[in-house]
């Protein structure tokens, strides 16, 4: 199973945001990315029919905390979404094999604003090497 810190370090390599956080951050800067576990998403293991492999599945909720410009925030969310889509299959994340990422929606989801800063969420499942 991949951990939130693994995901944070991996998405930093995209070079899209000014900062990254896990959990609550009282003073969020503009154009930052929050990484959270998906709510009501139990960590699980799956075996696909006809496959001898089983996978750990980790649900991740990315919160794109943009700025006071709705258009710029939406564009940033799309650039991030497309970067996840373009991730090559079967890559390493902190020494763990990630076989693929499944995006749960076909676009970033508008979650309105946090005060005067617009936000979008991108939700994904990470299918990774099963850890003993």
């Amino acid at each position: 199973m991949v951990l939130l810190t693994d995901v944070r370090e991996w998405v930093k390599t995209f070079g899209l945001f000014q900062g990254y956080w896990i959990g609550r951050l009282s003073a969020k800067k503009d154009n930052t990315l929050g990484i959270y576990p998906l709510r009501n998403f139990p960590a699980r293991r799956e075996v696909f029919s006809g496959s001898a492999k089983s996978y750990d599945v980790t649900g991740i909720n990315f919160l794109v905390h943009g700025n006071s410009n709705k258009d710029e925030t939406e564009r940033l969310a799309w650039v991030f979404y497309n970067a996840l889509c373009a991730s090559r299959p079967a890559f390493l994340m902190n020494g763990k094999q990630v076989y693929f990422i499944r995006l749960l929606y076909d676009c970033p989801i508008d979650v309105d604003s946090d005060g005067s800063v617009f936000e979008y969420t991108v939700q994904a499942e990470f299918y990774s090497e099963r850890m003993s």
Side-chain angles (χ1 to χ4, degrees), residues 109-129:
I109 305 299
D110 182 352
V111 291
D112 203 21
S113 65
D114 178 11
S116 63
V117 176
F118 291 100
E119 296 180 324
Y120 282 78
T121 187
V122 174
Q123 297 179 353
E125 294 176 334
F126 285 72
Y127 288 74
S128 62
E129 175 181 11

Side-chain angles (χ1 to χ4, degrees), residues 2 48 53-56 87-92 96-102 126-130:
V2 296
F48 293 101
K53 288 191 175 182
S54 63
Y55 305 88
D56 281 337
S87 298
R88 61 190 159 106
F91 60 91
L92 289 177
K96 298 174 195 97
Q97 185 76 34
V98 176
Y99 296 105
F100 63 94
I101 299 169
R102 179 177 168 254
F126 285 72
Y127 288 74
S128 62
E129 175 181 11
R130 183 176 173 188

Side-chain angles (χ1 to χ4, degrees), residues 39-105:
R39 290 181 186 223
N40 302 319
F41 187 91
R44 66 181 195 269
R45 292 192 170 158
E46 288 192 12
V47 178
F48 293 101
S49 178
S51 172
K53 288 191 175 182
S54 63
Y55 305 88
D56 281 337
V57 184
T58 306
I60 302 291
N61 186 33
F62 296 100
L63 181 66
V64 175
H65 181 81
N67 59 37
S68 60
N69 184 304
K70 177 78 167 175
D71 182 56
E72 288 176 9
T73 301
E74 182 180 27
R75 288 176 190 279
L76 178 60
W78 270 107
V79 168
F80 176 66
Y81 184 92
N82 288 327
L84 287 173
C85 288
S87 298
R88 61 190 159 106
F91 60 91
L92 289 177
M93 182 184 293
N94 193 23
K96 298 174 195 97
Q97 185 76 34
V98 176
Y99 296 105
F100 63 94
I101 299 169
R102 179 177 168 254
L103 295 168
L104 301 183
Y105 297 95

